[in-house]
Amino acid sequence: MGLLSLGTPLSWPDTKALADHVREHGITQFLYTWDRWAGRKGEPLLWGDEIEYIVVSLLDDKKRASLSLRQSEILEELKNVVGDLCDEQPEKSMVIPTFHPEYGMYMLESTPGCPLGPHLKDLVGVEANMRFRRKLARSHLRPNEVPMTITSFPRLGVTDQPFTDPECMSVADSPASQSLFVGKGVTNPHARFPTLTGNIRSRRGSKVAINVPIYKDTNTPSPFVDPTIPYDRQLWPGDSEAKNGAAKPDHIYMDAMAFGMGCCCLQITFQAFNVDEARRMYDALVPVAPIMLALTACSPAFRGYLADVDARWDVIAGSVDDRTEEERGLKPLKNDKYRIPKSRYDSVDCYIANDVRNKAEFNDISCPINDEVFQRLRAHGIDEALANHVAHLFIRDPLVIFSERVDQDDEDSMDHFENIQSTNWQTIRFKPPPPNSNIAWRVEFRSMEVQLTDFENAAFSIFIVLLTRAILSFNLNFYMPISQVDENMHRAQKRNAAREQKFHFRKWVFPLGKAPAHMDCRSRAASPNGFRTSPESTENNSSSVPHSASTASFNLESDSKCTSPSTPHFEVDDETEEMTLDELINGKAEFPGLLGVVNAYVNSLNVDVATKCDIRKYLNLIKERAAGKLVTPAAWIRNFITSHPEYKHDSVVSEVINYDLLKAIDEV
Ligand code: ADP
Ligand code: MG
Ligand code: MG
Ligand code: MG
Ligand code: MG
Ligand code: MG
């Protein structure tokens, strides 16, 4: 959740009044960082994941699985343990994981503790690190508590039975969210979180309103009007909203930040060689984000019902949507400055690289910018693409300001910049270097849902890191219209998207002018016009993973689907086509597939067979899931629910079904 400064949060009116102050100083801070870092290069690949857990309390006598609201105690204990481990092993290079607070009081976040390195063995080591983290967390919980990597808790916010442990915390009593379903007990009490929740509601002018289509089973009433919503409650001003149309028929209605920010995900951050590489990497990953969302889908149930979606994205987007009616286009602009098409939590709106391949026509959706900020950045010599990106982030207001942090030394702090940046939750994040540290330009991949097992989480982490290496080494071009990326985001969340949807993607991904004119994919490796490392890449140390491949075979496996590509000369209109996930990952015709380029990259490395075999084990998961031979966690969970003997084909995930499901997941 970004930074957790301590202090006294200002009221919403006081926060709003300081918005320009934060934006102005935020840009000053960014410019200081820019001046310090813009010319620097030669940073090694360092990377790390973030995994979020839901701590489930299994009450066997009641056959109930609840959310354990003990984050603060658990973190306190883990802090001591981690401290002890560090004291015991000061000389060993063993990495001690770290645990962080999260929005939900039932959540934990863990990271490796220190960034991982660039070698294949570092990649392979991530699973052991993840297992260690889970074991560490688990061994400091109560015997009936389990840290689970599930994306959404199926019964968060039900009104028929308690869903928290302790039970009394299931009461919806939160003045910050005014939710009909969840109380203050589910939200981390650190001032930042309730303040965020309350200020989003205040800024928007109403509660957030999330409506996820319900999965219509044979016994689901049609139209479905949720009988469990307390429509007539009169506790807070927002209580009448559900009755007055915020809760839509045929949907699962949710009205609080907790429903979205209470979901768990898997994020990967990696450091780039220099700022230009970070920007190219960012752009290349933009079209990959929806693909990976579909492939990792893990959230088919919300608030006690099966949904007609498999993934969390729109739920989180809705859960922090602070836009006013004017900004949403429901009223003419009067008090607000911009029409804003998306929530602050949503997919990327513009590419950012200074690259001829980043053509204007690919940036084809509305991307309002803060003109003043744009002019300031341009005047400082920052190019248009990056200025545009930052100016777009800076159309937003700060949501939480601590009175103690209003005045900062801009040369020494990035707090005001991060205030805006860290509440722009997009699929990819471009992370500038923090002040007073060696950490350089980084890119974060944020779309993936967390997987049930560490093996899967490791596999997806490894895949993404290797994909970034392949993109750089082969100088791949993934540019496509952002409108099509957004269309893919919608498709990626649909029920069974991994099997049933097609996704737009760029047909020809190899560098222009370097297209091999004939041959099967294997001979590309020997082609003098083959795929070279980008100039920046070759400057780097060739012994490490990121920059050692200069040529490669795209035909790792004997059953390659590659055939002769024709010389590509596409107009924008036909630069992309729709592909299944199998085609996108495993390749077809002249399209090598994302796994194809990863395999080629791995093959090009001079490492021992055993390590390659280790890597292959993880990559096989990606391959088989994309091919449909393995199902997504969402499909597995959905199937478990619908084939449970107690399931009445009415879309309801009852307490017993939920309990059996979580027991089964724990056994996995
Ligand atoms: P946030 O919550 O802001 O996204 P976290 O600090 O929780 O970030 O996690 C960032 C991840 O980046 C961690 O896995 C960490 O190991 C990793 N990391 C730390 N330093 C670097 C670095 N210099 N380069 C790349 N990754 C890093
Ligand atoms: Mg987190
Ligand atoms: Mg984090
Ligand atoms: Mg975070
Ligand atoms: Mg963050
Ligand atoms: Mg993160």
Side-chain angles (χ1 to χ4, degrees), residues 44-259:
L45 168 68
L46 292 173
W47 67 281
D49 66 274
E50 294 160 76
I51 287 187
E52 291 166 344
Y53 309 79
I54 287 180
V55 180
V56 175
S57 164
L58 293 165
L59 306 169
D60 294 330
D61 52 334
K62 293 198 172 108
K63 288 205 133 230
R64 178 187 296 159
S66 294
L67 295 167
S68 170
L69 304 178
R70 297 200 312 117
Q71 181 190 115
S72 313
E73 288 162 63
I74 296 167
L75 283 180
E76 196 53 40
E77 220 178 300
L78 282 167
K79 207 166 79 192
N80 297 335
V81 177
V82 168
D84 290 348
L85 278 173
C86 293
D87 291 345
E88 279 166 28
Q89 319 227 6
E91 78 291 350
K92 288 207 184 152
S93 60
M94 174 183 169
V95 180
I96 310 294
T98 41
F99 292 86
H100 317 263
E102 258 301 335
Y103 184 88
M105 264 313 256
Y106 52 85
M107 294 169 82
L108 300 173
E109 180 185 293
S110 80
T111 56
C114 128
L116 304 166
H119 302 282
L120 280 191
K121 67 172 172 26
D122 299 311
L123 267 66
V124 174
V126 75
E127 186 188 352
N129 187 302
M130 288 173 176
R131 284 177 184 273
F132 182 47
R133 282 183 251 164
R134 190 187 294 268
K135 198 173 147 199
L136 210 55
R138 184 158 196 164
S139 59
H140 293 87
L141 299 178
R142 293 178 178 156
N144 70 320
E145 288 173 334
V146 189
M148 288 191 181
T149 41
I150 47 174
T151 294
S152 68
F153 184 76
R155 284 179 58 82
L156 170 67
V158 295
T159 55
D160 59 334
Q161 298 283 347
F163 59 92
T164 60
D165 181 8
E167 278 185 18
C168 59
M169 303 289 225
S170 291
V171 177
D173 62 351
S174 166
S177 72
Q178 301 189 3
S179 173
L180 296 171
F181 311 109
V182 294
K184 52 179 181 272
V186 304
T187 298
N188 188 328
H190 181 290
R192 174 177 161 83
F193 300 102
T195 308
L196 255 179
T197 309
N199 286 356
I200 285 171
R201 187 178 44 71
S202 300
R203 190 182 189 290
R204 177 181 166 91
S206 64
K207 293 195 289 182
V208 294
I210 308 156
N211 283 282
V212 175
I214 193 164
Y215 169 64
K216 283 278 182 81
D217 207 341
T218 46
N219 295 331
T220 311
S222 209
F224 168 77
V225 179
D226 190 347
T228 71
I229 298 178
Y231 290 103
D232 295 318
R233 193 180 78 169
Q234 291 184 330
L235 183 60
W236 310 107
D239 283 1
S240 54
E241 290 171 16
K243 192 161 60 182
N244 293 339
K248 292 190 190 152
D250 288 333
H251 288 75
I252 308 165
Y253 168 66
M254 293 168 274
D255 63 350
M257 187 166 168
F259 288 104

